[in-house]
Amino acid sequence: MRNAMLPLVLAVAACQVQAAPEALVPGFAGQMLRVPITSMQAARTATTVLQKYDFSCGSAAISTLLTHHYGHPVSEQEVLQEMYAKGDQQKIRQEGFSMLDMKQYLESLGYAADGFQQPLEKLAEAGLPAIVLVNEGNYHHFVVVKGLRDGRVLIGDPARGTRALTREEFEKLWLGGLLFVIHDHVQQARFNLASDWRAAPRAPVFSALPHDGLAGTGLPRNGPGDF
């Protein structure tokens, strides 16, 4: 009987899913509410595909663009294998993928893509995400511009996940002022999504307070005998 029950036990165990972490927060009438929470690391990688190899930021950027901004799921591995097979393999191993590799791959899927020298504002006007080349720490690297808001640029970084830079910070890193965009399938494009921005919240207000924190803020300064 025990042996007969074993497959059933294993089947039940295989169906168990680890519950998402929750936090208790005060609700109405003194009730405590259970609210699901997401770590910042999980939030940063929810809509940005991380690169698996030091030369594969281009394939990860394409995977992010298609999967999370055009509703066309494709893994980094699929993109990498296809672009590597059809590209200059020696050059790819030394320098990584180029925008030409990405253009040809997208064309094979029926997408028209090109590089345009345009200001960032054009992305917001058109509602289009873009892949751009940046130089960060003397490292040339492709990232996806996912949104623009309040002087900040939201990027999907294949090395670090979704993060935001000030416009000034981004302009210093951006190479050539080139925006690589898919310029057909415009109706499918998703840009400036609130769900993406949740991965890059602004610093809390108290981070701008003096180093002595809240000590003495909003309270009278009483002498030692005032108790």
Side-chain angles (χ1 to χ4, degrees):
M1 184 65 175
R2 283 182 180 174
N3 290 338
M5 289 292 290
L6 184 58
L8 178 61
V9 172
L10 291 176
V12 172
C15 292
Q16 291 179 343
V17 178
Q18 185 176 359
E22 296 179 325
L24 288 174
V25 298
F28 295 105
Q31 293 182 337
M32 299 300 288
L33 303 177
R34 292 185 179 274
V35 178
I37 57 175
T38 302
S39 71
M40 285 306 301
Q41 179 61 27
R44 290 190 184 108
T45 57
T47 62
T48 295
V49 177
L50 298 184
Q51 65 191 84
K52 294 181 180 178
Y53 309 99
D54 58 354
F55 64 88
S56 68
C57 62
S59 54
I62 289 289
S63 176
T64 295
L65 186 72
L66 290 178
T67 301
H68 298 294
H69 294 276
Y70 283 88
H72 184 149
V74 60
S75 70
E76 184 213 8
Q77 192 66 28
E78 292 175 81
V79 180
L80 186 151
Q81 289 176 345
E82 188 71 16
M83 291 202 302
Y84 186 74
K86 295 182 178 179
D88 183 335
Q89 297 181 5
Q90 182 176 355
K91 187 175 181 181
I92 290 170
R93 286 194 299 269
Q94 294 174 344
E95 303 176 14
F97 293 111
S98 68
M99 284 188 178
L100 179 60
D101 294 320
M102 294 188 281
K103 172 182 169 66
Q104 292 172 341
Y105 172 76
L106 289 169
E107 285 179 347
S108 74
L109 298 180
Y111 294 94
D114 286 289
F116 298 89
Q117 280 198 313
Q118 294 284 352
L120 279 177
E121 286 77 16
K122 290 295 183 181
L123 296 181
E125 291 174 15
L128 294 178
I131 292 175
V132 300
L133 184 64
V134 298
N135 181 359
E136 194 164 16
N138 293 321
Y139 177 56
H140 289 194
H141 185 56
F142 286 117
V143 300
V144 179
V145 178
K146 301 169 78 70
L148 303 170
R149 179 188 293 178
D150 301 329
R152 298 202 302 162
V153 182
L154 188 69
I155 62 172
D157 183 343
R160 298 167 60 180
T162 304
R163 59 193 180 103
L165 302 170
T166 66
R167 179 66 179 268
E168 183 180 4
E169 290 170 334
F170 178 84
E171 296 282 358
K172 288 179 180 178
L173 302 178
W174 187 18
L175 290 176
L178 202 63
L179 300 168
F180 182 77
V181 300
I182 294 174
H183 50 86
D184 60 355
H185 297 77
V186 174
Q187 298 302 319
Q188 293 175 239
R190 293 177 291 199
F191 184 69
N192 244 356
L193 298 177
S195 55
D196 284 338
W197 279 102
R198 291 191 195 107
R202 285 190 177 277
V205 174
F206 54 75
S207 67
L209 291 175
H211 290 296
D212 59 357
L214 295 175
T217 303
L219 293 174
R221 291 184 178 273
N222 296 313
D226 291 334
F227 275 121

